[in-house]
């Protein structure tokens, strides 16, 4: 099963322009707050109407502006898990789950499905409780039950763990991940948490101020982002304007660096990037070695972060390493640090095309 989305929606001061295909499995929409992730889900679910384009689920047209097709939400067979779960506050657990079974006319089948879901999501004994009497994890389980009760062909998850305390997130993430592994259709996960996206999705589509970049394999995106926005949203702390020289090297003026790099045949490169944990101490004369002054040092939970200013440069570089390894570098001193060529990112301001 696949979900193809190619839509434009104009809002005040903002235009959503997304195009991607999600195959069976989990595809994540990753972007900063306000980038259009949730609005994309709302358009797919039929809660919002795009201005142009089409939405097709496994060959079935849900929306097509040219053909004037716009199926109502209840006819789309799309399960939607809202950020705050949107349980009916005056209905019991049982009644909330029954709401997802409203299209099932056979009372015996409805009872069987309901009991199966309650058992599967460990809600036995909670059937008569109201949402306000449930924990955050229990409310999420009820919302998942209600969503799956309608046997959706696609699942939309909008920041599914945002309402949970941190100690519940890992447990619920594991449960949701298992649920999605058993689901045969396409699932879309909206998040701005890069760790969550990395652990849960097979493919990622980055949204940058309402505009989508081509979907990529998740591990490939984190290892080799193609645009500046992708690098930043996946956690790269070191990005600087750069250009390729005729000799195939990367000129980074603000780091006072000319770097050996892989992929110099690419065009349109505007920035260089390197993740902080790949910036490592080295001996003078090593490839891509920069003599840097340590201008600041700060402990993180399990590491130490050094802020480095390359000699002759105007912008700092962040290096992150084990506390024991970093103890040799005092603030104010100088040392050589290497930017390994295989970890130097060649980035474009925006995606070509």
């Amino acid at each position: 099963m696949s979900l193809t989305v190619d839509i434009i929606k104009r809002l005040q001061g903002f235009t959503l322009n997304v195009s991607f295909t999600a195959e069976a499995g989990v595809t994540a929409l990753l972007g900063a707050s306000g980038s259009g992730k949730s609005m994309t889900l709302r358009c797919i679910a039929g809660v919002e109407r795009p201005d142009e384009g089409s939405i097709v689920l496994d060959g079935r047209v849900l929306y097509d502006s040219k053909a004037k097709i716009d199926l109502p939400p209840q006819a789309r067979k799309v399960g939607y898990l809202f950020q705050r779960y949107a349980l009916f506050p005056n209905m019991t657990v049982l009644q909330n789950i029954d709401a997802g079974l409203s299209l099932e006319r056979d009372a015996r089948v409805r009872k069987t499905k309901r009991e199966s879901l309650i058992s599967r999501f460990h809600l036995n004994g909670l059937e008569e409780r109201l949402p306000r009497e449930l924990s955050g994890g229990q409310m999420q389980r009820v919302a998942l039950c209600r969503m799956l009760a309608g046997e959706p062909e696609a699942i939309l998850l909008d920041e599914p763990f945002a309402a949970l305390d941190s100690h519940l997130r890992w447990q619920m993430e594991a449960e949701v991940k298992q649920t999605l592994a058993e689901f045969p259709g396409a699932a879309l996960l909206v998040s701005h948490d890069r760790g969550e996206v990395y652990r849960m999705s097979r493919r990622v589509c980055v949204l940058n101020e309402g505009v989508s970049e081509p979907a990529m394999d998740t591990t490939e995106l984190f290892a080799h982002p193609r645009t500046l926005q992708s690098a930043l949203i996946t956690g790269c702390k070191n990005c600087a304007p750069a250009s390729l020289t005729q000799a195939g090297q990367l000129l980074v003026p603000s780091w006072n660096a000319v770097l050996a790099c892989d992929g110099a045949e690419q065009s349109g490169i505007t920035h260089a990037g390197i993740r902080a944990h790949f910036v490592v101490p080295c001996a003078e004369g090593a490839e891509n070695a920069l003599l840097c002054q340590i201008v600041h040092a700060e402990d993180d939970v399990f590491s130490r972060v050094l802020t480095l200013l390359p000699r002759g440069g105007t912008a700092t570089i962040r290096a992150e390493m084990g506390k024991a390894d970093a103890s040799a570098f005092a603030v104010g001193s100088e040392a050589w640090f290497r930017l390994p060529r295989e970890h130097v990112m060649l980035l474009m301001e925006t995606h070509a095309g």
Side-chain angles (χ1 to χ4, degrees):
M1 286 189 176
S2 65
L3 173 67
T4 300
V5 180
D6 187 3
I7 56 172
I8 295 174
K9 182 171 177 62
R10 300 177 185 88
L11 303 162
Q12 187 172 0
F14 180 85
T15 298
L16 181 69
N17 187 346
V18 295
S19 180
F20 64 88
T21 295
E23 304 291 347
V26 182
T27 297
L29 300 183
L30 178 63
S33 296
S35 60
K37 305 183 302 297
S38 294
M39 179 57 71
T40 300
L41 293 196
R42 292 171 67 84
C43 288
I44 296 168
V47 180
E48 298 279 351
R49 178 185 295 174
D51 295 307
E52 300 176 31
S54 63
I55 302 170
V56 181
L57 176 57
D58 198 31
R60 187 166 56 92
V61 178
L62 308 184
Y63 172 82
D64 190 312
S65 57
K66 292 182 179 178
K68 300 190 183 304
I69 296 172
D70 185 16
L71 297 186
Q74 61 271 24
R76 296 196 175 200
K77 298 288 285 183
V78 172
Y80 193 175
L81 184 67
F82 294 86
Q83 285 187 26
R84 298 285 171 175
Y85 313 136
L87 297 176
F88 298 111
N90 297 322
M91 289 186 178
T92 65
V93 167
L94 203 60
Q95 290 168 334
N96 267 283
I97 295 172
D98 268 345
L101 290 164
S102 59
L103 297 180
E104 177 56 65
R105 301 303 180 191
D106 189 315
R108 287 175 299 179
V109 173
R110 191 164 58 245
K111 182 175 183 294
T112 299
K113 289 183 177 180
R114 183 173 60 228
E115 291 176 350
S116 176
L117 287 166
I118 288 172
S119 176
R120 175 181 172 187
F121 286 92
H122 313 293
L123 294 170
N124 303 84
L126 303 176
E127 291 91 341
E128 298 306 318
R129 291 193 185 183
L130 295 171
R132 64 175 177 269
E133 298 171 320
L134 302 174
S135 69
Q138 289 167 342
M139 284 194 288
Q140 187 179 71
R141 290 191 187 103
V142 175
L144 283 167
C145 279
R146 186 181 63 184
M147 179 183 69
L148 294 173
E151 299 181 348
E153 295 175 4
I155 287 177
L156 312 178
L157 304 172
D158 192 354
E159 301 276 7
F161 312 110
L164 298 177
D165 293 334
S166 58
H167 71 279
L168 278 175
R169 287 189 177 216
W170 281 98
Q171 177 187 347
M172 291 310 303
E173 183 180 308
E175 291 186 15
V176 172
K177 190 173 182 179
Q178 180 60 38
T179 298
L180 296 178
E182 298 168 357
F183 181 68
L188 283 183
L189 168 70
V190 154
S191 180
H192 61 264
D193 185 321
R194 59 182 180 270
E196 192 174 288
V197 165
Y198 189 86
R199 292 186 298 271
M200 293 193 65
S201 70
R202 293 169 55 185
R203 290 178 63 76
V204 183
C205 179
V206 172
L207 267 63
N208 180 12
E209 297 181 350
V211 180
S212 63
E213 297 184 3
M216 293 178 62
D217 177 84
T218 301
T219 54
E220 177 68 12
L221 173 69
F222 280 81
H224 304 290
R226 297 169 186 169
T227 67
L228 176 61
Q229 177 64 16
S230 292
L232 294 172
I233 202 66
T234 57
C236 183
K237 300 298 191 298
N238 300 311
C239 293
S243 59
L244 287 169
T245 68
Q246 290 185 342
Q249 295 177 302
L250 192 61
L251 174 65
V252 192
S254 62
W255 294 344
N256 191 30
V258 179
L259 304 175
C261 61
D262 296 328
E265 71 282 356
Q266 299 180 48
S267 60
I269 300 304
T270 60
H271 287 75
I274 188 165
R275 299 193 187 278
H277 58 278
F278 288 135
V279 179
V280 292
C282 68
E284 182 180 358
E287 184 180 59
N288 289 354
L290 303 177
L291 181 59
C292 301
Q293 182 183 34
I294 293 89
V295 296
H296 185 70
E298 185 174 29
D299 281 342
D300 205 340
V301 180
F302 300 112
S303 62
R304 188 164 177 80
V305 179
L306 304 179
T307 303
L308 314 174
L309 181 63
R311 180 178 285 185
T314 58
T316 58
I317 298 173
R318 176 180 171 130
E320 188 170 347
M321 61 188 71
K323 293 181 180 180
D325 296 331
S327 62
F329 302 100
V331 173
S333 66
E334 285 191 326
W336 290 92
F337 285 82
R338 183 167 67 95
L339 280 58
R341 66 183 296 158
E342 65 271 21
H343 296 304
V344 173
M345 303 173 183
L346 306 184
L347 306 170
M348 296 178 285
E349 185 75 51
T350 56
H351 198 279

